[in-house]
Amino acid sequence: MQKNARGYVQETCKELKEAERNLQHALETVEKDPNRQRIQESLNQLMAVQTYCNETEGMLENH
């Protein structure tokens, strides 16, 4: 069955959550501070995108 827009957004939100877990694991194993800072910045940006994705998913469910 072909996905609609909502299905694609839901899949994206799920994949973003997986990316968050991966970055969290990276933070737990990184050794150098500059790398830690870069990973943390990536995680912060990812979380902002997750928020927007979740809002979009919610909007699609309401329409």
Short mmCIF file of all heavy atoms in Angstrom, two decimals:
data_model
loop_
_atom_site.label_atom_id
_atom_site.label_comp_id
_atom_site.label_asym_id
_atom_site.label_seq_id
_atom_site.Cartn_x
_atom_site.Cartn_y
_atom_site.Cartn_z
N MET A 1 0.84 -1.18 0.00
CA MET A 1 0.00 0.00 0.00
C MET A 1 0.88 1.24 0.00
O MET A 1 1.86 1.32 0.74
CB MET A 1 -0.90 -0.02 1.24
CG MET A 1 -1.79 1.18 1.31
SD MET A 1 -3.30 0.91 2.22
CE MET A 1 -2.88 1.31 3.86
N GLN A 2 0.52 2.21 -0.82
CA GLN A 2 1.30 3.44 -0.94
C GLN A 2 1.01 4.36 0.23
O GLN A 2 -0.13 4.49 0.67
CB GLN A 2 0.96 4.13 -2.25
CG GLN A 2 1.85 5.31 -2.52
CD GLN A 2 1.58 5.91 -3.90
OE1 GLN A 2 0.68 5.48 -4.60
NE2 GLN A 2 2.36 6.90 -4.27
N LYS A 3 2.06 5.00 0.74
CA LYS A 3 1.90 5.94 1.86
C LYS A 3 1.36 7.27 1.37
O LYS A 3 1.62 7.68 0.24
CB LYS A 3 3.26 6.22 2.52
CG LYS A 3 3.84 5.06 3.23
CD LYS A 3 5.16 5.50 3.85
CE LYS A 3 6.08 4.31 3.92
NZ LYS A 3 7.43 4.67 4.22
N ASN A 4 0.63 7.92 2.26
CA ASN A 4 0.21 9.28 1.98
C ASN A 4 1.18 10.22 2.70
O ASN A 4 2.15 9.78 3.32
CB ASN A 4 -1.25 9.52 2.41
CG ASN A 4 -1.46 9.26 3.90
OD1 ASN A 4 -0.53 9.16 4.68
ND2 ASN A 4 -2.71 9.17 4.29
N ALA A 5 0.92 11.51 2.63
CA ALA A 5 1.81 12.50 3.25
C ALA A 5 1.98 12.23 4.74
O ALA A 5 3.10 12.28 5.27
CB ALA A 5 1.26 13.91 3.03
N ARG A 6 0.89 11.93 5.41
CA ARG A 6 0.96 11.66 6.85
C ARG A 6 1.86 10.47 7.15
O ARG A 6 2.65 10.49 8.09
CB ARG A 6 -0.45 11.43 7.39
CG ARG A 6 -0.49 11.18 8.88
CD ARG A 6 -1.93 11.05 9.34
NE ARG A 6 -1.96 10.42 10.65
CZ ARG A 6 -2.86 9.58 11.06
NH1 ARG A 6 -3.86 9.27 10.26
NH2 ARG A 6 -2.82 9.07 12.25
N GLY A 7 1.77 9.43 6.35
CA GLY A 7 2.60 8.24 6.53
C GLY A 7 4.08 8.56 6.37
O GLY A 7 4.92 8.08 7.14
N TYR A 8 4.40 9.39 5.39
CA TYR A 8 5.79 9.78 5.19
C TYR A 8 6.30 10.63 6.36
O TYR A 8 7.43 10.47 6.82
CB TYR A 8 5.97 10.54 3.88
CG TYR A 8 5.95 9.65 2.67
CD1 TYR A 8 4.91 9.71 1.76
CD2 TYR A 8 6.98 8.74 2.43
CE1 TYR A 8 4.89 8.89 0.64
CE2 TYR A 8 6.98 7.92 1.31
CZ TYR A 8 5.93 8.00 0.42
OH TYR A 8 5.91 7.18 -0.68
N VAL A 9 5.46 11.53 6.84
CA VAL A 9 5.86 12.36 7.98
C VAL A 9 6.04 11.51 9.22
O VAL A 9 7.02 11.68 9.97
CB VAL A 9 4.84 13.51 8.21
CG1 VAL A 9 5.14 14.25 9.51
CG2 VAL A 9 4.86 14.48 7.04
N GLN A 10 5.14 10.57 9.46
CA GLN A 10 5.28 9.68 10.61
C GLN A 10 6.58 8.88 10.53
O GLN A 10 7.28 8.73 11.53
CB GLN A 10 4.08 8.72 10.69
CG GLN A 10 2.81 9.37 11.15
CD GLN A 10 1.63 8.42 11.10
OE1 GLN A 10 1.54 7.55 10.24
NE2 GLN A 10 0.70 8.60 12.03
N GLU A 11 6.89 8.37 9.35
CA GLU A 11 8.13 7.62 9.17
C GLU A 11 9.34 8.50 9.44
O GLU A 11 10.31 8.07 10.08
CB GLU A 11 8.19 7.05 7.76
CG GLU A 11 9.42 6.21 7.51
CD GLU A 11 9.43 5.60 6.11
OE1 GLU A 11 8.36 5.40 5.53
OE2 GLU A 11 10.54 5.35 5.62
N THR A 12 9.29 9.72 8.96
CA THR A 12 10.39 10.66 9.18
C THR A 12 10.57 10.95 10.66
O THR A 12 11.70 10.95 11.16
CB THR A 12 10.14 11.97 8.40
OG1 THR A 12 10.04 11.66 7.00
CG2 THR A 12 11.25 12.97 8.64
N CYS A 13 9.48 11.18 11.38
CA CYS A 13 9.56 11.45 12.82
C CYS A 13 10.19 10.26 13.54
O CYS A 13 11.01 10.42 14.45
CB CYS A 13 8.19 11.77 13.39
SG CYS A 13 7.53 13.37 12.87
N LYS A 14 9.82 9.06 13.12
CA LYS A 14 10.38 7.85 13.72
C LYS A 14 11.88 7.75 13.46
O LYS A 14 12.67 7.43 14.36
CB LYS A 14 9.66 6.62 13.15
CG LYS A 14 10.13 5.31 13.70
CD LYS A 14 9.35 4.16 13.08
CE LYS A 14 9.92 2.83 13.51
NZ LYS A 14 9.26 1.71 12.85
N GLU A 15 12.29 8.06 12.25
CA GLU A 15 13.71 8.01 11.90
C GLU A 15 14.50 9.09 12.62
O GLU A 15 15.66 8.87 12.99
CB GLU A 15 13.88 8.11 10.39
CG GLU A 15 13.39 6.86 9.67
CD GLU A 15 13.34 6.99 8.17
OE1 GLU A 15 13.63 8.09 7.63
OE2 GLU A 15 13.01 5.99 7.52
N LEU A 16 13.88 10.25 12.84
CA LEU A 16 14.55 11.30 13.60
C LEU A 16 14.78 10.87 15.05
O LEU A 16 15.81 11.19 15.65
CB LEU A 16 13.73 12.60 13.56
CG LEU A 16 13.73 13.33 12.22
CD1 LEU A 16 12.69 14.46 12.24
CD2 LEU A 16 15.10 13.87 11.89
N LYS A 17 13.82 10.13 15.60
CA LYS A 17 13.98 9.61 16.97
C LYS A 17 15.15 8.63 17.02
O LYS A 17 15.93 8.64 17.99
CB LYS A 17 12.67 8.94 17.41
CG LYS A 17 12.63 8.60 18.86
CD LYS A 17 12.63 9.87 19.70
CE LYS A 17 12.48 9.56 21.17
NZ LYS A 17 12.77 10.71 22.00
N GLU A 18 15.28 7.81 16.02
CA GLU A 18 16.42 6.88 15.94
C GLU A 18 17.73 7.64 15.84
O GLU A 18 18.72 7.29 16.48
CB GLU A 18 16.25 5.91 14.76
CG GLU A 18 17.39 4.94 14.59
CD GLU A 18 17.53 3.94 15.73
OE1 GLU A 18 16.56 3.69 16.46
OE2 GLU A 18 18.65 3.42 15.90
N ALA A 19 17.75 8.69 15.04
CA ALA A 19 18.95 9.53 14.92
C ALA A 19 19.30 10.16 16.27
O ALA A 19 20.48 10.26 16.62
CB ALA A 19 18.73 10.60 13.86
N GLU A 20 18.29 10.57 17.02
CA GLU A 20 18.53 11.13 18.35
C GLU A 20 19.20 10.09 19.25
O GLU A 20 20.18 10.40 19.94
CB GLU A 20 17.21 11.59 18.99
CG GLU A 20 17.40 12.12 20.40
CD GLU A 20 16.09 12.38 21.12
OE1 GLU A 20 15.01 12.22 20.53
OE2 GLU A 20 16.17 12.76 22.31
N ARG A 21 18.69 8.87 19.23
CA ARG A 21 19.31 7.80 20.04
C ARG A 21 20.77 7.58 19.63
O ARG A 21 21.65 7.42 20.49
CB ARG A 21 18.52 6.50 19.90
CG ARG A 21 17.25 6.47 20.73
CD ARG A 21 16.62 5.08 20.76
NE ARG A 21 16.06 4.68 19.47
CZ ARG A 21 14.84 4.98 19.06
NH1 ARG A 21 14.01 5.66 19.84
NH2 ARG A 21 14.41 4.58 17.88
N ASN A 22 21.03 7.60 18.34
CA ASN A 22 22.40 7.40 17.86
C ASN A 22 23.32 8.52 18.32
O ASN A 22 24.46 8.28 18.73
CB ASN A 22 22.43 7.27 16.33
CG ASN A 22 21.84 5.97 15.86
OD1 ASN A 22 21.82 4.98 16.57
ND2 ASN A 22 21.34 5.97 14.64
N LEU A 23 22.84 9.75 18.26
CA LEU A 23 23.66 10.88 18.72
C LEU A 23 23.88 10.82 20.22
O LEU A 23 24.96 11.17 20.72
CB LEU A 23 23.02 12.21 18.30
CG LEU A 23 23.15 12.56 16.83
CD1 LEU A 23 22.33 13.80 16.50
CD2 LEU A 23 24.61 12.77 16.44
N GLN A 24 22.87 10.36 20.96
CA GLN A 24 23.03 10.20 22.41
C GLN A 24 24.13 9.17 22.70
O GLN A 24 24.96 9.38 23.58
CB GLN A 24 21.72 9.77 23.07
CG GLN A 24 20.65 10.82 23.10
CD GLN A 24 20.92 11.93 24.11
OE1 GLN A 24 21.90 11.94 24.83
NE2 GLN A 24 20.03 12.89 24.15
N HIS A 25 24.13 8.08 21.97
CA HIS A 25 25.16 7.06 22.13
C HIS A 25 26.53 7.63 21.76
O HIS A 25 27.53 7.32 22.42
CB HIS A 25 24.87 5.82 21.30
CG HIS A 25 23.71 5.02 21.80
ND1 HIS A 25 23.62 4.51 23.08
CD2 HIS A 25 22.56 4.64 21.18
CE1 HIS A 25 22.49 3.86 23.22
NE2 HIS A 25 21.82 3.93 22.09
N ALA A 26 26.57 8.45 20.73
CA ALA A 26 27.83 9.07 20.33
C ALA A 26 28.37 9.96 21.45
O ALA A 26 29.57 9.95 21.73
CB ALA A 26 27.65 9.89 19.05
N LEU A 27 27.47 10.70 22.10
CA LEU A 27 27.89 11.54 23.22
C LEU A 27 28.48 10.71 24.35
O LEU A 27 29.40 11.16 25.05
CB LEU A 27 26.71 12.37 23.75
CG LEU A 27 26.41 13.66 23.05
CD1 LEU A 27 25.16 14.31 23.65
CD2 LEU A 27 27.58 14.62 23.10
N GLU A 28 27.95 9.54 24.55
CA GLU A 28 28.43 8.67 25.64
C GLU A 28 29.81 8.09 25.34
O GLU A 28 30.51 7.70 26.27
CB GLU A 28 27.44 7.53 25.86
CG GLU A 28 26.09 7.98 26.38
CD GLU A 28 25.03 6.90 26.35
OE1 GLU A 28 25.35 5.74 26.02
OE2 GLU A 28 23.86 7.21 26.64
N THR A 29 30.20 8.05 24.07
CA THR A 29 31.45 7.39 23.72
C THR A 29 32.53 8.34 23.21
O THR A 29 33.69 7.94 23.09
CB THR A 29 31.21 6.30 22.66
OG1 THR A 29 30.64 6.91 21.50
CG2 THR A 29 30.28 5.23 23.18
N VAL A 30 32.17 9.59 22.91
CA VAL A 30 33.15 10.52 22.35
C VAL A 30 34.20 10.88 23.39
O VAL A 30 33.91 10.96 24.59
CB VAL A 30 32.44 11.79 21.80
CG1 VAL A 30 31.86 12.64 22.91
CG2 VAL A 30 33.39 12.60 20.92
N GLU A 31 35.42 11.09 22.94
CA GLU A 31 36.52 11.36 23.87
C GLU A 31 36.97 12.82 23.84
O GLU A 31 37.27 13.39 24.88
CB GLU A 31 37.70 10.44 23.55
CG GLU A 31 37.37 8.97 23.81
CD GLU A 31 38.52 8.05 23.46
OE1 GLU A 31 39.59 8.54 23.06
OE2 GLU A 31 38.33 6.82 23.57
N LYS A 32 37.02 13.43 22.68
CA LYS A 32 37.56 14.78 22.56
C LYS A 32 36.47 15.83 22.72
O LYS A 32 35.38 15.70 22.15
CB LYS A 32 38.25 14.96 21.21
CG LYS A 32 39.46 14.06 21.05
CD LYS A 32 40.11 14.26 19.70
CE LYS A 32 41.30 13.33 19.55
NZ LYS A 32 41.91 13.47 18.22
N ASP A 33 36.77 16.87 23.49
CA ASP A 33 35.79 17.92 23.75
C ASP A 33 35.26 18.61 22.49
O ASP A 33 34.05 18.85 22.39
CB ASP A 33 36.34 18.96 24.72
CG ASP A 33 36.16 18.56 26.16
OD1 ASP A 33 35.34 17.66 26.44
OD2 ASP A 33 36.84 19.14 27.03
N PRO A 34 36.12 18.95 21.52
CA PRO A 34 35.57 19.59 20.31
C PRO A 34 34.55 18.69 19.60
O PRO A 34 33.53 19.16 19.09
CB PRO A 34 36.79 19.84 19.43
CG PRO A 34 37.95 19.86 20.38
CD PRO A 34 37.58 18.91 21.48
N ASN A 35 34.82 17.39 19.60
CA ASN A 35 33.88 16.45 18.98
C ASN A 35 32.60 16.36 19.80
O ASN A 35 31.50 16.29 19.25
CB ASN A 35 34.52 15.08 18.84
CG ASN A 35 35.68 15.08 17.88
OD1 ASN A 35 35.82 15.96 17.04
ND2 ASN A 35 36.54 14.09 17.99
N ARG A 36 32.74 16.37 21.12
CA ARG A 36 31.57 16.33 22.00
C ARG A 36 30.68 17.56 21.75
O ARG A 36 29.46 17.45 21.65
CB ARG A 36 32.01 16.31 23.46
CG ARG A 36 30.85 16.25 24.45
CD ARG A 36 31.31 16.24 25.90
NE ARG A 36 32.45 15.36 26.15
CZ ARG A 36 32.40 14.03 26.25
NH1 ARG A 36 31.25 13.41 26.12
NH2 ARG A 36 33.50 13.33 26.48
N GLN A 37 31.31 18.71 21.62
CA GLN A 37 30.54 19.93 21.38
C GLN A 37 29.81 19.87 20.05
O GLN A 37 28.65 20.27 19.94
CB GLN A 37 31.47 21.16 21.43
CG GLN A 37 31.98 21.45 22.81
CD GLN A 37 33.05 22.54 22.82
OE1 GLN A 37 33.58 22.91 21.78
NE2 GLN A 37 33.36 23.03 24.01
N ARG A 38 30.49 19.37 19.04
CA ARG A 38 29.88 19.27 17.71
C ARG A 38 28.70 18.30 17.73
O ARG A 38 27.64 18.58 17.15
CB ARG A 38 30.94 18.81 16.70
CG ARG A 38 30.48 18.77 15.29
CD ARG A 38 30.23 20.15 14.77
NE ARG A 38 29.77 20.07 13.41
CZ ARG A 38 29.85 21.05 12.56
NH1 ARG A 38 30.35 22.19 12.93
NH2 ARG A 38 29.40 20.90 11.35
N ILE A 39 28.86 17.17 18.39
CA ILE A 39 27.77 16.19 18.48
C ILE A 39 26.61 16.79 19.27
O ILE A 39 25.45 16.63 18.88
CB ILE A 39 28.26 14.88 19.12
CG1 ILE A 39 29.26 14.18 18.19
CG2 ILE A 39 27.09 13.95 19.43
CD1 ILE A 39 30.01 13.04 18.83
N GLN A 40 26.89 17.51 20.35
CA GLN A 40 25.83 18.14 21.15
C GLN A 40 25.08 19.16 20.32
O GLN A 40 23.86 19.25 20.39
CB GLN A 40 26.41 18.78 22.40
CG GLN A 40 25.35 19.36 23.32
CD GLN A 40 24.40 18.32 23.86
OE1 GLN A 40 24.81 17.37 24.50
NE2 GLN A 40 23.10 18.49 23.60
N GLU A 41 25.81 19.95 19.53
CA GLU A 41 25.16 20.93 18.65
C GLU A 41 24.26 20.22 17.63
O GLU A 41 23.15 20.68 17.35
CB GLU A 41 26.20 21.78 17.93
CG GLU A 41 26.92 22.75 18.86
CD GLU A 41 28.11 23.42 18.19
OE1 GLU A 41 28.26 23.32 16.95
OE2 GLU A 41 28.90 24.04 18.91
N SER A 42 24.75 19.13 17.09
CA SER A 42 23.94 18.35 16.14
C SER A 42 22.68 17.83 16.81
O SER A 42 21.59 17.88 16.24
CB SER A 42 24.75 17.17 15.59
OG SER A 42 25.84 17.62 14.86
N LEU A 43 22.84 17.35 18.03
CA LEU A 43 21.69 16.84 18.79
C LEU A 43 20.68 17.94 19.06
O LEU A 43 19.47 17.75 18.89
CB LEU A 43 22.18 16.21 20.10
CG LEU A 43 21.13 15.55 20.97
CD1 LEU A 43 20.41 14.43 20.22
CD2 LEU A 43 21.78 14.99 22.22
N ASN A 44 21.16 19.11 19.44
CA ASN A 44 20.27 20.24 19.69
C ASN A 44 19.48 20.62 18.44
O ASN A 44 18.25 20.85 18.51
CB ASN A 44 21.05 21.45 20.19
CG ASN A 44 21.67 21.24 21.55
OD1 ASN A 44 21.32 20.31 22.28
ND2 ASN A 44 22.61 22.10 21.91
N GLN A 45 20.15 20.66 17.30
CA GLN A 45 19.47 20.99 16.05
C GLN A 45 18.47 19.90 15.66
O GLN A 45 17.37 20.20 15.20
CB GLN A 45 20.50 21.20 14.93
CG GLN A 45 21.37 22.41 15.13
CD GLN A 45 20.57 23.70 15.11
OE1 GLN A 45 19.64 23.87 14.31
NE2 GLN A 45 20.90 24.61 16.01
N LEU A 46 18.87 18.67 15.85
CA LEU A 46 17.98 17.55 15.54
C LEU A 46 16.71 17.63 16.38
O LEU A 46 15.61 17.39 15.86
CB LEU A 46 18.69 16.23 15.77
CG LEU A 46 17.82 14.98 15.59
CD1 LEU A 46 17.46 14.80 14.12
CD2 LEU A 46 18.52 13.77 16.12
N MET A 47 16.85 17.96 17.65
CA MET A 47 15.68 18.03 18.52
C MET A 47 14.73 19.14 18.07
O MET A 47 13.50 18.99 18.16
CB MET A 47 16.11 18.19 19.96
CG MET A 47 16.82 16.91 20.46
SD MET A 47 17.47 17.03 22.10
CE MET A 47 16.01 16.59 23.02
N ALA A 48 15.27 20.24 17.55
CA ALA A 48 14.43 21.30 17.02
C ALA A 48 13.66 20.80 15.80
O ALA A 48 12.46 21.07 15.64
CB ALA A 48 15.27 22.52 16.66
N VAL A 49 14.32 20.04 14.95
CA VAL A 49 13.66 19.47 13.77
C VAL A 49 12.59 18.47 14.19
O VAL A 49 11.50 18.42 13.61
CB VAL A 49 14.70 18.83 12.82
CG1 VAL A 49 14.02 18.06 11.71
CG2 VAL A 49 15.62 19.89 12.25
N GLN A 50 12.89 17.67 15.21
CA GLN A 50 11.91 16.71 15.72
C GLN A 50 10.64 17.42 16.19
O GLN A 50 9.53 16.96 15.92
CB GLN A 50 12.48 15.92 16.90
CG GLN A 50 13.33 14.76 16.52
CD GLN A 50 13.80 14.02 17.75
OE1 GLN A 50 14.55 14.55 18.55
NE2 GLN A 50 13.36 12.80 17.89
N THR A 51 10.81 18.50 16.90
CA THR A 51 9.66 19.26 17.39
C THR A 51 8.80 19.71 16.22
O THR A 51 7.58 19.56 16.22
CB THR A 51 10.12 20.47 18.22
OG1 THR A 51 10.84 19.98 19.36
CG2 THR A 51 8.94 21.31 18.68
N TYR A 52 9.44 20.25 15.20
CA TYR A 52 8.71 20.73 14.03
C TYR A 52 8.03 19.57 13.31
O TYR A 52 6.87 19.68 12.88
CB TYR A 52 9.68 21.46 13.09
CG TYR A 52 8.99 22.35 12.10
CD1 TYR A 52 8.53 23.60 12.47
CD2 TYR A 52 8.80 21.94 10.79
CE1 TYR A 52 7.89 24.43 11.56
CE2 TYR A 52 8.15 22.75 9.88
CZ TYR A 52 7.70 23.99 10.27
OH TYR A 52 7.07 24.80 9.37
N CYS A 53 8.72 18.45 13.19
CA CYS A 53 8.15 17.27 12.53
C CYS A 53 6.93 16.78 13.31
O CYS A 53 5.90 16.45 12.70
CB CYS A 53 9.21 16.17 12.43
SG CYS A 53 8.72 14.76 11.42
N ASN A 54 7.04 16.71 14.63
CA ASN A 54 5.91 16.27 15.44
C ASN A 54 4.72 17.22 15.32
O ASN A 54 3.57 16.78 15.29
CB ASN A 54 6.35 16.14 16.90
CG ASN A 54 7.30 14.98 17.12
OD1 ASN A 54 7.30 14.01 16.38
ND2 ASN A 54 8.13 15.10 18.14
N GLU A 55 5.01 18.52 15.24
CA GLU A 55 3.92 19.49 15.05
C GLU A 55 3.25 19.27 13.70
O GLU A 55 2.02 19.33 13.58
CB GLU A 55 4.46 20.91 15.15
CG GLU A 55 4.88 21.31 16.55
CD GLU A 55 5.61 22.64 16.60
OE1 GLU A 55 5.82 23.27 15.55
OE2 GLU A 55 5.98 23.05 17.73
N THR A 56 4.06 19.01 12.69
CA THR A 56 3.52 18.77 11.35
C THR A 56 2.65 17.51 11.35
O THR A 56 1.54 17.50 10.79
CB THR A 56 4.66 18.62 10.33
OG1 THR A 56 5.42 19.82 10.32
CG2 THR A 56 4.12 18.34 8.93
N GLU A 57 3.13 16.47 12.01
CA GLU A 57 2.35 15.24 12.12
C GLU A 57 1.01 15.51 12.78
O GLU A 57 -0.04 15.03 12.33
CB GLU A 57 3.14 14.18 12.90
CG GLU A 57 2.44 12.85 12.98
CD GLU A 57 3.21 11.82 13.78
OE1 GLU A 57 4.31 12.13 14.30
OE2 GLU A 57 2.71 10.70 13.89
N GLY A 58 1.03 16.27 13.85
CA GLY A 58 -0.20 16.61 14.54
C GLY A 58 -1.17 17.39 13.67
O GLY A 58 -2.38 17.17 13.70
N MET A 59 -0.64 18.31 12.89
CA MET A 59 -1.48 19.10 11.98
C MET A 59 -2.12 18.21 10.92
O MET A 59 -3.28 18.38 10.59
CB MET A 59 -0.67 20.21 11.33
CG MET A 59 -0.27 21.31 12.28
SD MET A 59 0.83 22.53 11.52
CE MET A 59 -0.20 23.15 10.19
N LEU A 60 -1.34 17.25 10.42
CA LEU A 60 -1.88 16.36 9.37
C LEU A 60 -2.95 15.45 9.94
O LEU A 60 -3.89 15.08 9.23
CB LEU A 60 -0.75 15.53 8.75
CG LEU A 60 0.25 16.32 7.89
CD1 LEU A 60 1.40 15.44 7.48
CD2 LEU A 60 -0.45 16.90 6.67
N GLU A 61 -2.82 15.07 11.20
CA GLU A 61 -3.84 14.22 11.82
C GLU A 61 -5.15 14.99 12.02
O GLU A 61 -6.21 14.39 12.00
CB GLU A 61 -3.34 13.71 13.17
CG GLU A 61 -2.26 12.67 13.05
CD GLU A 61 -1.72 12.22 14.39
OE1 GLU A 61 -2.13 12.74 15.43
OE2 GLU A 61 -0.86 11.32 14.37
N ASN A 62 -5.05 16.30 12.19
CA ASN A 62 -6.23 17.11 12.46
C ASN A 62 -6.94 17.55 11.18
O ASN A 62 -8.01 18.12 11.25
CB ASN A 62 -5.86 18.34 13.29
CG ASN A 62 -5.43 17.95 14.69
OD1 ASN A 62 -5.90 16.96 15.23
ND2 ASN A 62 -4.53 18.73 15.25
N HIS A 63 -6.34 17.30 10.02
CA HIS A 63 -6.96 17.74 8.77
C HIS A 63 -7.35 16.57 7.92
O HIS A 63 -6.91 15.53 7.91
CB HIS A 63 -6.01 18.66 8.01
CG HIS A 63 -5.84 19.98 8.67
ND1 HIS A 63 -4.80 20.25 9.52
CD2 HIS A 63 -6.58 21.10 8.64
CE1 HIS A 63 -4.89 21.48 9.98
NE2 HIS A 63 -5.97 22.03 9.45
#
